Amino acid sequence: MTLKTTLLGAVALAAIAPAAFAERGADGHVNIIYWQAPSILNPYLSGGTKDLESASMIIEPLGRYDETGALVPFLATEIPTIENGGVSEDLTSITWKLKPDLLWSDGTSVTANDVKFTAEYCMHPEGGCAQAAKFEGVSAVEVIDDLTVKVTFSESKPNPYGPFMGAQAPIIQAAQFADCLGAKAPECTEANFNPIGTGPFRVTEFRPNDVISLEANPNYRDPAKPAFATMTFKGGGDATAAGRAVLETGEFDYAWNLQLAPEVIEQMQAGGKGQTIAAFGSLVERIMVNMTDPSPSLPEGERATAKHPHPFLTDPAVRAALSMSIDRELLVEIGYGQAGRPTCNLVPAPALYASDNTDCLTHDIEGANAMLDEAGWTRGADGIREKDGVRLSVLFQTSTNAVRQDFQALIKQWWDEIGVETELRNVSASVFFGGDPGSPDTFQKFYADLEMYANNFDGTDPEAYLAAQTCDKAPRPETQWQGENITRFCDPTYDAMVAELGRTGELEKRGEIARKLNDMVTKESNVIIPLVDRGRVSAHSNTLGGVVLNTWDSELWNVADWYRTE
Amino acid sequence: MLTFTIRRLVLAVPTLLFIALVIFSLLQLAPGDPMAQVPLTVPPEVKERMREALGLGAPVHIQFFKWIVQFFWVEPQVLFDNIFGTSFSEGKLRVLSWQTRSPVMDIVVQRLPQTLWVVGMSYVLGVMIALPIGIYSAYRQYSAFDQIGTFVSMVGFSVPTFFTGVLLIVIFSVNLGWFPSIYDTTHKVTDWESFMFQLRQMIMPVAVLALYNAAQISRFMRASMLDNLNQDYVRTARAKGLGEKTVVLVHVLRNSMIPVVTVIALGVPQVFGGAIITEQVFKVNGLGQLLITSIEANDLPMVQTLTFIFALLIVVFNLIADVLYGILDLRIRYD
């Protein structure tokens, strides 16, 4: 009898075990470290990655991008497309359907009104919404019924997935933010620090620029998730310390974005407490070529504007030679290791938009020299090439950053070998990337011949990113030096194709146009010299399971699925 | 003494206003943009609207005047409300940080405990170590103890805290696993166990800073003792048959403490300033870390407020040092 009871008990236990495993909060506590500390949990008031990603565990959009860049529904029942009737044939409207019975973390129902309110919140003219670009072209957001909302655009929108899609545009609760519209937005400290959301976690305490304490959201739509009952999200310090805390001391379970030298990461991994994961997105480290003359002898207001074309960088042979002489493989090995790969594309991914352009991968000093010889640039007494009294002497600037300074030194050496004299300069990142029109050192003003930095695009559609290289987007005094066409490249054919891309809805055709646009600014003209396709390296402890690194959305996009192994 | 104190306090007002103006103008002139940390994927037109929402479009003198009113008029009301439960400050705009869009003073108050615990403790500890070492080193000048003391303080003085900090982390956190390398600011001391945890997480940052503070103060103490030990009154005291203990610890020490007390008092504002580097290394996230992250993010209201608070503390502790001077040395008269 006792044997039978024991056996029965064992069977019962075995049956219970997996069930217990899938219970909300069963795995206790999890620690995450971001070496940049979150300042605010409202993505609409801050564009910072640290803020977007920490908020992504609390508030969610209707749909997200997964690790392959595909669209997956989160709060919506499905992703609207033309095929399922969610997107109108003329591409001017998109209709989202919410999952039924969704609850906010305070227990109230999520309705289409909240979605409509979110759009109102961000589109308010006085709010200074950081994600306003996501809502560009939206003419109306209408509530059809409690669970259906229709977004209408003022003109046809081939990529209608701007509003409510991805970490940049989550749904906020209308009731909580009702009094926070427009100029009042910053005054709602309580709402900005403790947003009520639908995500797997909710805030128990938020300390700006320091730490967030979270607990499992009792009203999360999947009753078995999240596996962790509580979470500490620590911010601050530096990437080295964050890597150390996960890989060497094991104090933390997850560390974000370890921008470290490859050998440092390798050494840390020898600690044996965790492992690194890498994934690639659209971030490309590149050299921008100034098509205008940045000479200090020109009067202020005309310097580095279309009025004065560059004396020698307008020669396609010079630009091609500069690109050919760079050994991208070596740059990757020295600067990024596992987190980088050489590229010749401005748009390296997703596959549909990535051109098969690989010519630049061959490091060819001889070829570059031959090309310059042919173009009539002859070496002077000091080895520097010149033609008609113009010397190939360039000022090459970038932001202050150990890897970038290594790159500068290497590239200077290669350019020396082809007879181009290079002066290096680095500017503090907060000045370089700041848009202060009064400062001569911003990357937009571009008071140098060449400059290096990295950029990417949100989501998976490169239309806006490619459209940034059109003539009218060039920074100039009339626009207070704001603008995204940093090189001041101007080609009417390019502009016409960008306009065509804006009218084309069919994916295959869009891919074709985007690849062509990419080639026009890279291999055909070398106005943009891509160097490295930069991935993201993060680390998680050996006891943390379920991590899927995603560069298309928030890294913490699937935090609900994380669990403790062992 | 009272009139002196009052006169100094009154004089402090224009000084502080001038300091506020200087800080404000310097920050205005410094290059940088609060939007620098916003990703490049956000278009420039959107950034421009965000700048306007921060109040950056307003003329400079209006921005300054607004800050003065918010800091000297609204913030004291908030403090008063918090203490007495009144509601004078209701609906008035406080000094808001550009990074967090929340009141600057709330964050400062939130950061004070960890800074006072770690940096304050290291200062107290540093002083407690430094004084006996300084006294004994001077009394036995050029002895083995003095030589070792000199060596240790030279090391403490010259080795930067970002080196000693990381060294301690590598030894005690990574290799031995004794202490956490990341400070938990949310930790609350409720019982013996949590107290022990607090102790363990404080040991390394406190040790690093205490070494630095002790090195500095022990040198002052030693020099000041040496000055006095050779004075005539010491010979007189010995000649009249007083014991060595009385001579050194009563006569010499009291006179030697005068300059040292000033140095210690003037060092206190630095405690509130936090320890930028050590706080970063151990992720203490106190006032020092707050200042440096605000500078990086070009969060001008935060930087302005913090630097002004430091200036205020320096002015106040200067006054305290002067008053202490008069109390310790009765020969000094200010009136």
Side-chain angles (χ1 to χ4, degrees):
Chain A
M1 199 60 181
T2 36
L3 182 71
K4 195 178 170 189
T5 346
T6 323
L7 278 177
L8 272 177
V11 170
L13 262 180
I16 289 167
F21 184 68
E23 193 186 322
R24 174 178 294 156
D27 285 349
H29 190 76
V30 63
N31 286 310
I32 296 180
I33 186 161
Y34 267 47
W35 50 268
Q36 286 182 353
S39 309
I40 192 167
L41 288 176
N42 181 350
Y44 294 112
L45 293 184
S46 163
T49 313
K50 62 207 169 78
D51 305 315
L52 290 185
E53 301 211 343
S54 50
S56 74
M57 301 184 291
I58 302 148
I59 40 182
E60 297 175 306
L62 298 180
R64 284 196 193 283
Y65 301 95
D66 71 4
E67 73 278 12
T68 61
L71 285 66
V72 282
F74 261 62
L75 297 184
T77 46
E78 61 178 351
I79 297 290
T81 56
I82 297 182
E83 289 78 57
N84 65 25
V87 176
S88 68
E89 285 291 339
D90 59 353
L91 303 170
T92 55
S93 75
I94 180 167
T95 308
W96 292 89
K97 273 198 185 312
L98 284 168
K99 283 182 181 154
D101 307 321
L102 283 175
L103 292 180
W104 292 104
S105 58
D106 65 356
T108 56
S109 304
V110 179
T111 68
N113 268 319
D114 294 305
V115 180
K116 180 172 189 276
F117 176 81
T118 302
E120 269 167 29
Y121 181 85
C122 189
M123 289 163 68
H124 196 287
E126 283 160 41
C129 176
Q131 312 302 346
K134 295 269 153 202
F135 293 88
E136 208 180 85
V138 174
S139 64
V141 179
E142 301 157 70
V143 174
I144 307 285
D145 62 52
D146 255 9
L147 295 177
T148 316
V149 68
K150 181 178 169 193
V151 182
T152 315
F153 299 99
S154 48
E155 52 191 42
S156 80
K157 196 94 170 165
N159 176 35
Y161 305 110
F164 317 124
M165 188 66 204
Q168 285 85 5
I171 308 301
I172 52 176
Q173 193 194 34
Q176 192 186 22
F177 284 88
D179 295 329
C180 306
L181 284 170
K184 286 195 146 156
E187 290 170 41
C188 294
T189 307
E190 174 60 26
N192 292 336
F193 283 1
N194 300 294
I196 292 168
T198 52
F201 290 93
R202 65 175 184 186
V203 184
T204 47
E205 192 191 7
F206 179 75
R207 295 187 180 214
N209 287 357
D210 179 14
V211 64
I212 316 173
S213 305
L214 303 115
E215 62 179 7
N217 172 5
N219 295 312
Y220 187 59
R221 56 186 175 277
D222 185 339
K225 287 172 182 176
F228 292 103
T230 50
M231 173 191 287
T232 302
F233 187 103
K234 176 83 177 178
D238 51 274
T240 323
R244 192 189 295 128
V246 171
L247 299 171
E248 290 190 284
T249 69
E251 288 164 82
F252 279 77
D253 295 300
Y254 188 85
W256 160 82
N257 196 13
L258 301 179
Q259 278 179 14
L260 296 170
E263 69 269 15
V264 173
I265 292 191
E266 225 162 85
Q267 259 171 29
M268 282 183 177
Q269 265 185 314
K273 293 267 166 60
Q275 49 204 304
T276 53
I277 37 175
F280 289 87
S282 58
L283 186 66
V284 170
E285 184 84 24
R286 81 290 292 279
I287 296 176
M288 297 300 232
V289 178
N290 198 344
M291 301 298 283
T292 60
D293 191 357
S295 162
S297 59
L298 293 172
E300 200 61 31
E302 290 186 14
R303 186 178 174 191
T305 62
K307 209 166 171 184
H308 301 276
H310 198 281
F312 56 87
L313 287 174
T314 38
D315 180 347
V318 174
R319 297 195 301 264
L322 291 178
S323 172
M324 277 165 82
S325 59
I326 296 171
D327 183 352
R328 291 169 173 80
E329 297 274 356
L330 187 65
L331 290 180
V332 167
E333 197 184 312
I334 286 174
Y336 294 100
Q338 155 191 30
R341 50 191 186 198
T343 186
C344 302
N345 283 328
L346 179 64
V347 178
L352 172 66
Y353 299 106
S355 161
D356 55 353
N357 164 21
T358 52
D359 304 344
C360 77
L361 297 184
T362 8
H363 169 53
D364 188 2
I365 298 266
E366 271 171 40
N369 269 319
M371 186 174 279
L372 287 173
D373 286 339
E374 202 176 311
W377 294 93
T378 48
R379 286 186 191 257
D382 54 356
I384 307 302
R385 288 175 189 275
E386 50 185 42
K387 180 164 113 179
D388 309 331
V390 179
R391 271 163 60 86
L392 289 187
S393 172
V394 295
L395 174 63
F396 177 27
Q397 71 177 10
T398 186
S399 70
T400 311
N401 163 320
V403 174
R404 290 203 172 123
Q405 266 74 79
D406 282 352
F407 275 29
Q408 276 188 316
L410 283 166
I411 292 170
K412 178 185 162 83
Q413 202 183 323
W414 291 319
W415 287 349
D416 248 7
E417 289 174 35
I418 60 166
V420 175
E421 182 181 50
T422 315
E423 186 191 335
L424 301 180
R425 183 159 179 268
N426 66 72
V427 183
S428 158
S430 66
V431 175
F432 191 65
F433 295 116
D436 184 0
S439 166
D441 297 322
T442 62
F443 80 107
Q444 293 102 328
K445 228 169 195 175
F446 208 170
Y447 281 181
D449 302 297
L450 299 143
E451 66 185 3
M452 176 170 62
Y453 63 89
N455 197 0
N456 63 332
F457 50 93
D458 279 341
T460 50
D461 187 89
E463 184 186 330
Y465 185 59
L466 288 165
Q469 310 300 330
T470 50
C471 300
D472 60 322
K473 294 266 173 68
R476 50 192 186 271
E478 301 84 68
T479 63
Q480 273 70 50
W481 294 101
Q482 307 302 316
E484 297 156 289
N485 181 6
I486 303 302
T487 61
R488 288 84 155 136
F489 164 80
C490 187
D491 180 349
T493 340
Y494 186 92
D495 289 16
M497 283 186 76
V498 166
E500 193 189 337
L501 182 63
R503 287 189 302 265
T504 312
E506 192 196 332
L507 271 181
E508 272 312 309
K509 191 89 182 83
R510 282 177 74 75
E512 201 179 297
I513 300 173
R515 289 195 296 268
K516 177 68 187 145
L517 287 170
N518 170 76
D519 291 349
M520 282 175 85
V521 285
T522 56
K523 75 171 171 192
E524 285 168 24
S525 67
N526 289 302
V527 167
I528 294 173
I529 305 177
L531 301 174
V532 182
D533 176 8
R534 282 174 53 185
R536 182 85 67 80
V537 172
S538 293
H540 66 87
S541 74
N542 291 332
T543 62
L544 185 68
V547 178
V548 177
L549 187 57
N550 183 346
T551 52
W552 301 107
D553 205 292
S554 161
E555 268 195 51
L556 305 173
W557 71 296
N558 75 335
V559 71
D561 304 332
W562 289 11
Y563 57 90
R564 185 71 67 194
T565 56
E566 287 174 354
Chain B
M1 188 71 98
L2 188 67
T3 37
F4 167 76
T5 317
I6 293 170
R7 199 170 65 226
R8 283 283 300 268
L9 278 175
V10 172
L11 263 176
V13 175
T15 315
L16 285 172
L17 278 177
F18 182 69
I19 293 175
L21 182 67
V22 169
I23 296 174
F24 186 83
S25 329
L26 277 178
L27 289 178
Q28 287 295 325
L29 289 174
D33 174 23
M35 294 296 120
Q37 287 194 334
V38 172
L40 297 180
T41 47
V42 173
E45 311 87 70
V46 174
K47 284 190 189 164
E48 193 48 45
R49 268 187 308 224
M50 288 172 76
R51 272 188 213 106
E52 273 162 28
L54 290 176
L56 267 166
V60 177
H61 61 277
I62 292 189
Q63 288 185 37
F64 180 64
F65 184 70
K66 250 173 86 180
W67 180 84
I68 290 277
V69 170
Q70 286 168 351
F71 188 83
F72 290 103
W73 184 239
V74 182
E75 290 298 338
Q77 289 178 358
V78 174
L79 183 71
F80 191 83
D81 289 352
N82 278 339
I83 298 172
F84 300 104
T86 48
S87 55
F88 288 113
S89 62
E90 229 174 59
K92 288 179 185 151
L93 201 58
R94 303 177 60 184
V95 185
L96 291 186
S97 152
W98 285 349
Q99 277 181 90
T100 67
R101 314 293 180 96
S102 71
V104 165
M105 288 310 278
D106 287 1
I107 304 176
V108 172
V109 169
Q110 201 174 57
R111 294 302 179 92
L112 260 181
Q114 52 258 40
T115 289
L116 287 187
W117 267 109
V118 173
V119 188
M121 184 64 84
S122 72
Y123 198 65
V124 171
L125 212 68
V127 170
M128 274 165 41
I129 297 169
L131 295 188
I133 290 180
I135 295 168
Y136 196 73
S137 292
Y139 186 62
R140 292 253 182 268
Q141 198 186 3
Y142 304 133
S143 66
F145 182 88
D146 185 26
Q147 304 286 7
I148 294 170
T150 307
F151 176 73
V152 172
S153 42
M154 276 307 144
V155 169
F157 219 37
S158 44
V159 179
T161 47
F162 59 79
F163 178 77
T164 37
V166 173
L167 187 72
L168 287 190
I169 287 179
V170 169
I171 297 175
F172 292 106
S173 299
V174 176
N175 289 330
L176 296 172
W178 290 356
F179 309 125
S181 70
I182 289 169
Y183 190 94
D184 179 3
T185 45
T186 55
H187 181 72
K188 286 190 182 67
V189 178
T190 49
D191 51 14
W192 178 248
E193 213 169 295
S194 59
F195 176 72
M196 288 308 287
F197 179 81
Q198 177 67 14
L199 215 59
R200 285 201 305 141
Q201 72 169 351
M202 272 174 60
I203 285 181
M204 290 198 296
V206 167
V208 165
L209 284 173
L211 175 70
Y212 179 75
N213 287 328
Q216 225 172 354
I217 297 165
S218 73
R219 295 316 285 174
F220 273 113
M221 190 68 226
R222 178 178 176 275
S224 173
M225 283 292 282
L226 283 177
D227 278 349
N228 279 288
L229 276 168
N230 300 323
Q231 299 271 326
D232 289 344
Y233 74 87
V234 180
R235 195 165 350 114
T236 314
R238 284 195 178 122
K240 71 181 182 187
L242 287 179
E244 274 302 287
K245 207 171 151 185
T246 328
V247 172
V248 176
L249 292 184
V250 178
H251 291 249
V252 180
L253 183 61
R254 176 146 188 193
N255 282 306
S256 315
M257 279 307 278
I258 297 170
V260 177
V261 163
T262 323
V263 168
I264 293 175
L266 289 180
V268 174
Q270 287 168 17
V271 171
F272 289 89
I276 292 177
I277 293 164
T278 316
E279 285 185 6
Q280 282 280 68
V281 170
F282 293 99
K283 267 65 72 190
V284 177
N285 291 0
L287 289 174
Q289 187 260 5
L290 185 62
L291 179 64
I292 194 73
T293 48
S294 317
I295 292 174
E296 280 169 3
N298 274 296
D299 185 355
L300 298 191
M302 179 74 88
V303 178
Q304 163 92 7
T305 308
L306 280 175
T307 36
F308 185 74
I309 292 175
F310 299 155
L312 190 78
L313 287 170
I314 290 170
V315 169
V316 168
F317 277 91
N318 255 309
L319 179 63
I320 291 177
D322 283 348
V323 172
L324 273 180
Y325 222 74
I327 293 172
L328 280 174
D329 189 346
L330 298 173
R331 287 168 300 184
I332 296 173
R333 282 283 164 274
Y334 291 116
D335 304 319

